[in-house]
Amino acid sequence: MTDDVVLHIDGPVLVGPEDVRDGLWVVGGRVTFERPNGAGDVRTVRGWALPGLVDAHCHVGLDAHGAVDAETAEKQALTDRDAGALLLRDAGSPSDTRWVDDREDLPRIVRAGRHIARTRRYIRNYAHEIEPEDLARCTAAEARRGDGWVKLVGDWIDREQGDLAACWPREALVEAIAAAHREGARVTAHCFAEESLRDLVEAGIDCIEHATGLTEETIPLFAERQVAIVPTLVNIATFPSLAEGGQERFPRWADHMRRLHERRYDTVRAAYDAGVPVYVGTDAGGSLAHGLVAQEVAELVAAGIPALDALSATAWGARQWRGRPGPRAGAPPPVGVYERHPRVPGRALAAPQRIVLRGRVVG
């Protein structure tokens, strides 16, 4: 479709949870809700339009073994795009994916640089592996390398303890998070267990990934500080198989992982009920496939979050959190077009009919 073709989305446009417009037009790559005068060559797409979905925990350029080549990264990004995820927060990757920004047909990526982990306390080939005295320096460097986020590994298995354990002393976290904030970046952290959460929040963290270790003691602290969580429930579903694989060598860790899995829905619902911001993320790109954003929304509903709020956690609310609002007059229109209202849980959200990026139908 060339720039002189006018795109008409003929159907309800879900600008917000309570704001439904009757169609939109794209003229010169920009949205208008008024029929343009003298529109000549018009391409019409019919269906329900929803702002491009956000996957707030995704890893383009990464697989189970580390960095991947550009061809593989492209396939990952296209898979997310075709599932309707048009804005990805890349929560740590060793690959340089800046070339994606030059592609008009690929999702926008907000990068957190490379994971920062304690030495020998994370997945091989994923992270900078350092000691606490270097945490602030490394965090500041990744803040400059990323797009406004830094990703720490807050806990991981400690082989001597045989269980999950916090990776950083509190004073190192305070210094590192302050260093990131001075660079204008926010900080998030991978956390499965309970132990590290209070130190991270009181050190000024902005977000926690997974957050399976939240308890009735820490949930109020998260709510008070408005620290967001990205539960990645499609990833947490793998805990039982991980526990089985590690049972013989690390039985304490395996039992812990099973307990975290068993209460995962209760944990997420309790956080939501307390007013903790909850957003959709899939953890795609490590050992998980890309394109699972609709499944993660359905998991939030299974946890007891109302359907419209679960949808907002990947659509309107998530875009507001990221500072990238949905379709509005005068702006480019990243939208997915669906056969029927993409209510959740349901098949419609998982199968957009058309994808519109930068004013063009690309999928």
Side-chain angles (χ1 to χ4, degrees), residues 176-251:
I177 292 170
H181 288 168
R182 285 194 297 270
E183 297 289 341
R186 289 183 279 182
V187 183
T188 192
H190 160 107
C191 291
F192 283 160
E194 300 84 353
E195 181 185 352
S196 64
L197 292 176
R198 180 172 292 276
D199 280 353
L200 283 161
V201 173
E202 292 184 345
I205 197 101
D206 302 283
C207 182
I208 295 290
E209 313 300 311
H210 317 302
T212 42
L214 282 170
T215 64
E216 61 183 11
E217 287 77 29
T218 50
I219 285 173
L221 181 63
F222 273 64
E224 176 189 346
R225 305 286 182 93
Q226 285 295 281
V227 176
I229 66 170
V230 182
T232 67
L233 289 168
V234 291
N235 177 27
I236 306 311
T238 69
F239 277 17
S241 62
L242 294 174
E244 183 178 356
Q247 176 65 43
E248 183 174 349
R249 188 177 180 189
F250 299 115

Side-chain angles (χ1 to χ4, degrees), residues 138-156:
C138 192
T139 300
E142 288 307 294
R144 292 189 291 270
R145 179 172 176 261
D147 296 322
W149 283 91
V150 180
K151 170 74 174 292
L152 307 181
V153 177
D155 65 27
W156 197 249

Side-chain angles (χ1 to χ4, degrees), residues 325-339:
R328 65 194 191 282
V335 299
V337 182
Y338 300 82
E339 182 180 0

